[in-house]
Amino acid sequence: MIVSSLQTGGLRLAFVLGLAACSSQTDFVPLVDPGRAAGTEHRVLVATNRLPDTDAEVAFSGERAGAVSFSDVDVWVPADRVPGEIAYPDRDPDVSTQFATTGSRELEGRGAALAALNTRLAAAGRDQKIVFIFVHGYNVSYAGGLYRQAQMIEDFRAGGVGLLFSWPSAGRLLGYVYDRDSVQYAREDLADVIALAAASDAESVFLLGHSMGTLLVMEAVRHLSLTNRRDVLSRISPLVLAAPDIDVNVFERQLASLDPRPDPMLVFVSERDGALQASQVIRGGHPRLGEGTNIQELQENGITVIDLTTLDDGDRIGHTTFASSPELIRIFGDIETMQTTINDAGAGPVLSPIDQLRVRAGNLIHPAN
């Protein structure tokens, strides 16, 4: 009976996440010259504990490396696309419609990575001295995480310096258990990368995790707290968990261990997230944090919740809505426009990011108490 239940849960998980993968996520990071094609190049600093792949156009595999390596990558985002959409490339991409890379440089260790961060921060605008760390989720290749971060930087007009932490996900539907083990394997490495960002000239570190990557984020910040890295934790602002695939009770313990707690903390939830529903089944029915079953408790713990249940655009199963929803992208874009107008007119005090969100999308926001 137990075996039958696990098999049913596993099949459902594979089916649901298979739908999420219908966008044909690629393993490839081909190097291209876009020529006169319309698009934008975004530079992303990459920290990874994946082993290099023997195929140069894959770059990094799903195998685990013994240390973190750093590189500086230029990512091509074509203009001919719907906001939120990623057209993954094959080995010979169409640069008019598909993502790709236009350059990649290895960085020799932590010192070189810190120097690269500071150089780019020095060139950033006055209000953009931020390091934006993105931690991808389950079943994501090196290429998939890289293109997702570039898509978010482009569509949400994210300032500052993008830093991808690419942990060794197997990048396979049936690699769920391997990926869970990789989260534990990568915990201290992510903590070190967060500390690196905190040691830079940035004004703050924006830390965003998605899906199983949120478990890695919480384990890393918990490690920082347990090792008395208050100096690092105090630099994280905000900490964002998007569609978190974390057991609700486990999250309560993780949260209680944080001292100080990053401020603000935001959680994106959705009652229609099919991937989290499948994860709940495979775990015997215990709810996942991203399903939004404990919004009130999160608010009482000082966490702002953004409920995406009513947004039905973006991906079909509601698991990447936080990044792929054109409606949410429009809301964030309008926030930037609205704030610029307020500042130019000198009309009243500057609104906090959460207050701006309430103005544009009040029905989605459950503010911290």
Side-chain angles (χ1 to χ4, degrees):
M1 192 71 172
I2 294 175
V3 173
S4 176
S5 176
L6 288 174
Q7 288 175 338
T8 300
L11 287 172
R12 182 178 178 187
L13 179 68
F15 172 73
V16 172
L17 294 176
L19 290 178
C22 285
S23 57
S24 299
Q25 176 182 284
T26 188
D27 288 338
F28 301 126
V29 283
L31 187 65
V32 301
D33 178 357
R36 296 187 178 183
T40 309
E41 290 176 282
H42 291 287
R43 180 167 292 179
V44 177
L45 190 69
V46 177
T48 184
N49 57 353
R50 296 173 182 262
L51 275 178
D53 198 274
T54 55
D55 186 337
E57 291 195 339
V58 172
F60 291 95
S61 71
E63 298 296 319
R64 299 162 185 155
V68 174
S69 62
F70 298 91
S71 56
D72 211 356
V73 184
D74 299 317
V75 185
W76 173 253
V77 180
D80 185 10
R81 50 183 285 275
V82 175
E85 178 184 81
I86 301 175
Y88 294 100
D90 49 26
R91 290 185 183 273
D92 185 20
D94 179 353
V95 294
S96 66
T97 60
Q98 293 179 312
F99 283 57
T101 64
T102 57
S104 180
R105 296 156 297 281
E106 291 185 15
L107 299 174
E108 294 298 328
R110 183 185 178 90
L114 181 59
L117 273 177
N118 286 334
T119 297
R120 293 188 53 204
L121 286 165
R126 184 180 60 183
D127 300 324
Q128 297 184 341
K129 297 189 183 301
I130 299 166
V131 177
F132 168 33
I133 301 177
F134 174 55
V135 183
H136 62 76
Y138 149 73
N139 185 29
V140 175
S141 66
Y142 167 74
L146 184 66
Y147 295 142
R148 176 61 72 188
Q149 181 154 22
Q151 174 261 310
M152 289 189 290
I153 292 171
E154 169 75 11
D155 291 338
F156 291 100
R157 290 182 273 183
V161 179
L163 195 169
L164 170 67
F165 184 76
S166 184
W167 54 278
S169 163
R172 301 190 308 269
L173 287 176
L174 298 181
Y176 192 81
V177 176
Y178 175 88
D179 281 12
R180 289 277 298 187
D181 288 343
S182 286
V183 163
Q184 301 305 315
Y185 180 83
R187 173 178 52 202
E188 286 82 3
D189 286 339
L190 175 56
D192 287 344
V193 169
I194 296 170
L196 174 70
S200 74
D201 296 333
E203 294 180 357
S204 64
V205 176
F206 182 133
L207 180 56
L208 167 63
H210 174 233
S211 188
M212 193 182 287
T214 62
L215 178 63
L216 175 52
V217 165
M218 289 302 298
E219 285 295 295
V221 294
R222 181 173 182 270
H223 176 76
L224 289 168
S225 184
L226 295 177
T227 53
N228 297 314
R229 295 305 308 270
R230 298 174 60 90
D231 57 325
V232 177
L233 290 171
S234 64
R235 299 268 281 145
I236 302 172
S237 179
L239 188 155
V240 180
L241 306 176
D245 188 5
I246 307 176
D247 181 285
V248 169
N249 296 142
V250 170
F251 179 74
E252 292 170 355
R253 288 291 180 92
Q254 291 171 326
L255 190 65
S257 70
L258 301 186
D259 181 24
R261 185 182 300 176
D263 182 44
M265 288 185 65
L266 291 83
V267 176
F268 285 81
V269 304
S270 175
E271 294 178 10
R272 67 178 192 87
D273 189 322
L276 294 183
Q277 291 169 8
S279 180
Q280 177 180 338
V281 169
I282 207 170
R283 285 177 170 75
H286 210 266
R288 317 310 292 165
L289 182 66
E291 292 180 281
T293 60
N294 63 332
I295 289 177
Q296 183 175 345
E297 289 87 345
L298 291 173
Q299 291 176 278
E300 291 171 354
N301 275 296
I303 297 172
T304 294
V305 180
I306 301 179
D307 188 352
L308 305 180
T309 302
T310 59
L311 294 183
D312 58 4
D313 59 351
D315 72 298
R316 281 185 282 177
I317 66 167
H319 194 53
T320 62
T321 303
F322 80 101
S324 61
S325 164
E327 174 64 12
L328 194 64
I329 290 168
R330 183 192 64 78
I331 288 170
F332 274 88
D334 285 352
I335 285 171
E336 183 171 310
T337 301
M338 179 185 66
Q339 189 62 66
T340 300
T341 302
I342 290 173
N343 291 344
D344 289 347
V350 174
L351 298 175
S352 72
I354 298 302
D355 287 337
Q356 294 174 48
L357 269 175
R358 288 191 193 123
V359 171
R360 298 300 306 177
N363 62 316
L364 304 179
I365 306 299
H366 300 273
N369 292 340

